[in-house]
């Protein structure tokens, strides 16, 4: 065998050995990775088991923030929270969703304070309308998004609650549910009217709104009813109304129908 052939043969043998060495090294490395993965999984499983079973993590107290309407006991009952139960298991049961079922709760979040305390943060809805259900002779408190909060009493109406007529209620009204879409659109129209009223700097306060007959009627200072159409330029109509009001006086009692081409002030 020539020297050249001998060199080539030795070179091939070395290459084969190198390939085998690399292959063995790779297989050994993969085995270590698999073993390490099983060790980590085992540690996680043991850790989760201990977190869910050790008495050290059983709930001892609740804290609630952001609500004036509900007590800690009421929120805990709605969320099915119990003292003495594991803190992590209770959190996994959808506490926030249950608490959101309370009519006045707009949003709720639950935070764990280790080792054994749950902190509940609530964003609460505020009554905006006190609306009359004429079919059942009942008043309901409703927030600005149209959620029905509770039955109300007109004699206990607060200063910032707007007396409202013209919403449509079901035969069996469920607290915490939202008004029908047709009534949500009425709220949007009113908000537009209110915005233009405030922008116009008209003296007086809107004390009532009526959505009957496909119109929006606002009452100023419990004296003057102003009827607005629902499908025309509110900004222009409000400016027109301001000019009329300046002529008849802010304390006028009666009706102004802004749906007319030539609105006229009339006394009741």
């Amino acid at each position: 065998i020539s020297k050249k052939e001998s060199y080539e043969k030795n070179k091939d043998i070395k290459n084969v050995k190198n390939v085998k060495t690399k292959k063995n090294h790779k297989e050994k490395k993969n085995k270590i990775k698999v073993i390490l993965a099983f060790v980590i999984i085992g540690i996680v499983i043991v850790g989760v088991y201990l977190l869910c079973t050790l008495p050290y993590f059983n709930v001892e107290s609740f804290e609630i923030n952001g609500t004036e309407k509900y007590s800690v006991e009421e929120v805990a009952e709605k969320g099915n929270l119990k003292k003495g139960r594991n803190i992590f298991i209770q959190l996994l049961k959808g506490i926030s969703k249950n608490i959101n079922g309370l009519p006045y709760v707009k949003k709720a979040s639950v935070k764990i304070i280790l080792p054994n305390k749950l902190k509940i943060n609530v964003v609460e809805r505020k009554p905006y309308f006190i609306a009359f259900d004429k079919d059942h002779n009942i008043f309901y408190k409703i927030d600005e998004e149209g959620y029905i909060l509770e039955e109300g009493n007109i004699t206990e109406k607060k200063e910032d609650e707007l007396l409202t007529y013209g919403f449509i209620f079901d035969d069996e009204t469920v607290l915490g549910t939202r008004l029908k879409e047709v009534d949500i659109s009425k709220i949007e129209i009113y908000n537009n009217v209110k915005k233009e009223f405030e922008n116009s700097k008209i003296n007086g306060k809107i004390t009532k709104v009526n959505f009957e007959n496909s119109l929006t009627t606002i009452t100023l200072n419990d004296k003057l009813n102003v009827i607005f159409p629902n499908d025309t330029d509110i900004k222009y109509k409000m400016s027109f109304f301001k000019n009329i009001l300046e002529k008849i006086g802010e304390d006028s009692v009666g009706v102004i129908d802004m749906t007319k081409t030539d609105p006229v002030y009339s006394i009741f």
Side-chain angles (χ1 to χ4, degrees):
I1 301 173
S2 65
K3 288 183 178 180
K4 185 177 179 180
E5 289 175 343
S6 178
Y7 172 78
E8 293 294 336
K9 187 175 181 180
N10 290 335
K11 185 178 178 181
D12 291 340
I13 292 171
K14 286 181 180 179
N15 288 337
V16 171
K17 286 182 177 179
N18 288 336
V19 170
K20 288 183 177 179
T21 301
K22 289 180 180 179
K23 185 178 180 181
N24 291 335
H25 180 71
K26 187 176 181 181
E27 288 177 351
K28 187 176 181 180
K29 194 174 180 180
N30 288 337
K31 287 180 180 178
I32 293 173
K33 286 182 179 179
V34 172
I35 294 171
L36 191 60
F38 275 110
V39 170
I40 292 173
I41 292 171
I43 292 173
V44 171
I45 291 173
V46 172
V48 171
Y49 175 77
L50 292 175
L51 288 175
C52 295
T53 57
L54 286 177
Y56 183 68
F57 297 111
N58 288 347
V59 176
E60 287 189 1
S61 64
F62 307 113
E63 177 184 332
I64 184 168
N65 296 310
T67 176
E68 298 177 357
K69 190 69 181 177
Y70 302 111
S71 65
V72 174
E73 291 75 20
E74 287 176 309
V75 173
E77 182 181 356
K78 184 65 177 179
N80 196 28
L81 302 174
K82 303 290 184 182
K83 290 183 180 180
R85 290 182 180 176
N86 182 268
I87 197 169
F88 299 104
I89 292 177
Q90 292 200 68
L91 189 63
L92 291 172
K93 289 184 176 180
I95 298 170
S96 299
K97 184 177 180 180
N98 291 336
I99 296 173
N100 282 330
L102 291 168
Y104 271 86
V105 174
K106 183 175 183 179
K107 183 180 179 181
S109 60
V110 182
K111 180 180 179 182
I112 291 177
I113 300 178
L114 292 175
N116 49 28
K117 184 176 181 179
L118 282 175
K119 183 178 181 180
I120 306 164
N121 295 312
V122 173
V123 177
E124 198 166 65
R125 299 184 184 279
K126 302 295 181 183
Y128 189 73
F129 304 98
I130 181 162
F132 184 60
D133 177 358
K134 63 181 181 181
D135 292 329
H136 303 93
N137 197 31
I138 299 173
F139 284 92
Y140 289 104
K141 292 189 177 186
I142 298 171
D143 82 335
E144 60 184 350
E145 294 180 343
Y147 285 92
I148 305 169
L149 305 178
E150 65 175 323
E151 286 190 22
N153 191 325
I154 192 60
T155 60
E156 298 175 356
K157 186 181 87 68
K158 296 181 180 178
E159 189 70 20
D160 57 353
E161 295 173 353
L162 183 66
L163 183 59
T164 308
Y165 294 88
F167 287 150
I168 303 169
F169 295 93
D170 292 326
D171 290 336
E172 294 184 8
T173 299
V174 179
L175 301 182
T177 59
R178 203 177 186 197
L179 294 171
K180 301 177 188 297
E181 282 301 319
V182 65
D183 290 324
I184 299 301
S185 65
K186 293 174 185 177
I187 292 176
E188 293 172 355
I189 292 170
Y190 168 73
N191 286 336
N192 190 22
V193 171
K194 182 184 177 184
K195 176 184 175 182
E196 296 303 333
F197 177 82
E198 292 173 345
N199 290 340
S200 68
K201 307 298 182 183
I202 296 173
N203 290 326
K205 180 181 179 181
I206 300 175
T207 54
K208 183 173 70 174
V209 60
N210 191 321
F211 297 111
E212 294 174 336
N213 302 318
S214 299
L215 299 169
T216 300
T217 303
I218 61 172
T219 302
L220 301 187
N221 305 321
D222 293 322
K223 296 179 179 180
L224 181 65
N225 292 331
V226 188
I227 306 171
F228 288 96
N230 292 339
D231 56 357
T232 54
D233 188 356
I234 297 298
K235 185 174 182 179
Y236 168 74
K237 295 290 185 180
M238 191 64 68
S239 178
F240 198 172
F241 164 62
K242 183 178 180 180
N243 291 332
I244 296 173
L245 191 61
E246 288 174 351
K247 294 178 182 178
I248 65 175
E250 297 172 359
D251 292 327
S252 298
V253 178
V255 180
I256 301 177
D257 189 348
M258 300 304 300
T259 65
K260 305 294 183 182
T261 304
D262 186 17
V264 177
Y265 164 65
S266 59
I267 300 174
F268 290 118

